[in-house]
């Protein structure tokens, strides 16, 4: 089942509100008083809305495969919660939630217990609650529904701006005062107007991990000297470099594999300019970012993690490209133990093997090589490559959309359509994407 954008927006708001209700209820049970949870002042927890939308977009095909539906929901939600927790910590320098006391956690951002709950929720959402909620939504006149969604989204944006401003102001004032005086009255006087102070107090009450004492402690910490090593550790520039290396190596490996198995040299690139496989590049980044802290663990652990992460990732990429471009770039229907032709067990094992080889053998060599660059040259190279690939992806996407339109008999006469018809005709697109199948 495919949902319209209108339906997805309604599902986003409904589940964001229900998630807020659940958070407030659980907090009230644990702390014996009413606590207004959530990043926003409004009664919405956005992470639940985004999670439900992700389930609705990527998992409907798995409705009849309960185990894979559960597994997909578990991985998608865990990734979303992990990245959100990491992002908020980068802003606040403190965890908004911490599962370090739970078994089988990842840096305290996620844990097995709550990931399993997310997986069960994905089954409930996709199979039962989505049809029920949309049945009610369809009773609302379309013009009224659009008006309501527009108003609520506008208020949420304004709410997010006000909360972000309050947080940034608290950062600035706490950092300044922490080095000047311990006079709490000065601190109270400097925390902005009444509305800002109210928002800050609500945030600190809702998330007890975020204490003023911790802010002061962090603000007083001496700044660590800047490292003279380029892209040290698992940082943005390291992941950027690994994306391009992984994209190139992935394209090369697939090309050689196709020749060895089929006897034909064919393009395996995801973009129109250069031998780059975006799926492999993003896969290298995903495996590195998610498994970096476990790189010293045994091969079995990394293999299982890589098999699951790789399978879910490839499945999501297949769904995404079909929804956005109307094109199927790979089809494993002829291979045993496949799931909708999007993934198969053998290639999932390949992802697991690739994860072990990548983290144990390839990554250390590439990491040392990347860090050998001078910071100035390394950053400049990464920025130029990002600009190049951004333009490349945009042009490739537009060329693919026009390619799909031509296959479906859609004729356009605008400047852009004419440009892509002339520079990226069917012959060229067939050569770049030989296995692509247009969805009618």
């Amino acid at each position: 089942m495919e949902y319209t954008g209108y339906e997805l927006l309604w599902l986003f708001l409904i589940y964001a509100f229900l998630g807020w209700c659940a958070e407030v209820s659980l907090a009230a049970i644990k702390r014996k008083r009413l606590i207004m949870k959530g990043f926003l002042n409004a009664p919405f927890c956005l992470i639940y809305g985004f999670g439900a939308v992700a389930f609705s977009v990527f998992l409907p095909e798995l409705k009849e495969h309960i185990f894979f539906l559960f597994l997909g929901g578990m991985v998608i939600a865990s990734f979303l919660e992990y990245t959100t927790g990491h992002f908020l910590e980068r802003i606040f320098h403190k965890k908004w939630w911490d599962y370090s006391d739970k078994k089988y956690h990842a840096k305290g951002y996620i844990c097995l217990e709550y990931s399993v709950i997310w997986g069960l929720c994905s089954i409930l959402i996709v199979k039962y609650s989505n049809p029920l909620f949309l049945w009610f939504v369809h009773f609302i006149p379309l013009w009224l529904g659009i008006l309501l969604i527009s108003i609520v989204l506008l208020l949420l944006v304004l709410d997010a701006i006000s909360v972000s401003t309050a947080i940034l102001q608290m950062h600035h004032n706490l950092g300044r005062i922490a080095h000047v005086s311990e006079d709490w009255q000065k601190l109270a006087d400097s925390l902005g107007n009444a509305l800002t102070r109210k928002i800050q107090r609500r945030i600190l009450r809702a998330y007890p991990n975020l204490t003023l004492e911790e802010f002061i402690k962090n603000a007083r910490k001496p700044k660590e000297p800047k490292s003279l090593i380029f892209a040290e550790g698992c940082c943005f520039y390291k992941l950027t470099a690994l994306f391009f290396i992984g994209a190139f190596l992935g394209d090369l490996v697939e090309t050689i594999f196709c020749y060895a198995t089929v006897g034909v040299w064919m393009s395996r690139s995801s973009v129109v300019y250069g031998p780059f496989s975006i799926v492999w590049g993003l896969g290298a980044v995903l495996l590195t970012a998610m498994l970096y802290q476990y790189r010293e663990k045994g091969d079995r652990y990394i293999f299982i993690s890589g098999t699951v992460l790789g399978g879910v990732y490839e499945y999501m990429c297949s769904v995404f490209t079909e929804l956005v471009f109307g094109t199927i770039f790979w089809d494993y229907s002829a291979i045993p133990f496949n799931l909708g032709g999007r993934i198969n067990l053998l290639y999932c094992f390949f992802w697991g093997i690739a994860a072990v080889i990548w983290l144990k053998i390839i990554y250390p060599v590439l990491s040392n090589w990347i860090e050998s660059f001078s910071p100035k040259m390394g950053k400049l190279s990464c920025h130029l490559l990002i600009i190049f690939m951004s333009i490349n992806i945009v042009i490739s996407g537009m060329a693919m959309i026009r390619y799909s339109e031509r296959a479906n008999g859609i004729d356009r006469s605008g400047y852009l359509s004419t440009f892509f018809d002339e520079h990226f005709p069917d012959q060229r697109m067939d050569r770049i994407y030989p296995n692509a199948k247009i969805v009618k």
Side-chain angles (χ1 to χ4, degrees), residues 238-252 254 268-270 275-289 313 317 351 358 389 393:
K238 175 69 68 61
L239 293 177
T240 299
L242 291 176
F243 166 78
F244 285 97
I245 295 172
F248 173 74
L249 292 178
D251 182 276
L252 181 64
E254 280 206 35
R268 303 301 298 162
S269 178
S270 303
F276 299 104
S277 174
I278 302 299
V279 172
W280 280 97
L282 291 176
V285 171
L286 175 66
L287 290 176
T288 304
Y313 167 69
C317 287
W351 277 106
W358 177 260
M389 187 56 72
I393 290 174

Side-chain angles (χ1 to χ4, degrees), residues 155-177:
L155 292 176
L156 291 182
V157 170
L158 296 176
D159 193 357
I161 292 173
S162 67
V163 173
S164 301
T165 302
I167 292 174
L168 293 174
Q169 184 181 15
M170 184 158 57
H171 256 303
H172 172 74
N173 290 331
L174 285 171
R176 177 169 56 84
I177 290 175

Side-chain angles (χ1 to χ4, degrees), residues 70-87:
F70 166 79
L71 187 63
M74 185 175 167
V75 174
I76 290 173
S78 298
F79 177 75
L80 180 62
E81 189 173 21
Y82 185 95
T83 52
T84 303
H86 181 72
F87 175 74

Side-chain angles (χ1 to χ4, degrees), residues 273-339:
Y273 298 120
F276 299 104
S277 174
I278 302 299
V279 172
W280 280 97
L282 291 176
V285 171
L286 175 66
L287 290 176
T288 304
M290 297 295 290
L291 301 179
Y292 176 79
Q293 60 179 323
Y294 307 113
R295 64 192 183 281
E296 303 301 332
K297 286 187 176 290
D299 294 352
R300 184 185 304 173
Y301 181 91
I302 296 176
F303 171 78
I304 295 174
S305 301
T307 299
V308 175
L309 287 174
V312 174
Y313 167 69
E314 189 173 14
Y315 188 94
M316 292 174 64
C317 287
S318 176
V319 174
F320 176 81
T321 53
E322 183 176 341
L323 289 175
V324 175
F325 302 114
T327 305
I328 299 174
F329 287 93
W330 59 86
D331 186 358
Y332 303 139
S333 299
I335 301 177
F337 306 109
N338 72 85
L339 191 60

